[in-house]
Amino acid sequence: QERLVESGGGLVQPGGSLRVSCTASGIIFRLYNMGWYRQAPGNQRELVATITTSGSTNYADSVKGRFTIARDNAKNTVYLQMNSLRPEDTAVYYCHAIHSITGSRNYWGQGTQVTVSS
């Protein structure tokens, strides 16, 4: 069964760093483009960062220069390193996988809470 499991969320002070991880099972991970999205209370879910099967990355303007997405195909895991965190980064962070060829298979994780507060 296809599954994405996020981990690593928590409470961090403004200016701090946090790394969240997403481990996939039940899919051929190397064939999937991966992404991180986030949703704050009262807001729509928004794109944070994506990484293709070949390692090309894309970031929302609001996180460029602060966040880094990376993947480890051997571990079926995608990471989001978040530095210089701001209170407005507070949200539930979701992992997303979409098949790079068909685009018809896509999966979401259950989300992990990231709270930036002093």
Side-chain angles (χ1 to χ4, degrees):
Q1 185 176 357
E2 303 86 357
R3 192 176 181 201
L4 301 177
V5 179
E6 298 99 335
S7 61
L11 174 64
V12 62
Q13 292 187 342
S17 297
L18 200 64
R19 188 178 78 163
V20 291
S21 303
C22 169
T23 299
S25 58
I27 64 172
I28 303 175
F29 183 77
R30 60 181 173 82
L31 297 182
Y32 282 75
N33 296 324
M34 302 298 298
W36 286 97
Y37 291 72
R38 66 186 181 187
Q39 187 168 17
N43 290 357
Q44 291 186 337
R45 192 171 295 189
E46 63 176 5
L47 172 71
V48 177
T50 60
I51 185 166
T52 67
T53 55
S54 61
S56 296
T57 58
N58 182 56
Y59 297 92
D61 287 343
S62 59
V63 307
K64 281 181 181 176
R66 301 189 298 123
F67 290 12
T68 302
I69 189 171
R71 65 189 298 160
D72 185 338
N73 288 344
K75 296 182 178 180
N76 286 1
T77 299
V78 61
Y79 306 96
L80 185 67
Q81 176 67 43
M82 301 181 287
N83 299 328
S84 302
L85 282 160
R86 305 166 180 169
E88 54 264 39
D89 295 316
T90 296
V92 178
Y93 283 71
Y94 296 91
C95 178
H96 181 250
I98 185 165
H99 198 282
S100 60
I101 298 175
T102 67
S104 61
R105 300 179 186 178
N106 75 101
Y107 309 99
W108 290 94
Q110 83 287 351
T112 186
Q113 176 70 47
V114 172
T115 302
V116 185
S117 174
S118 56

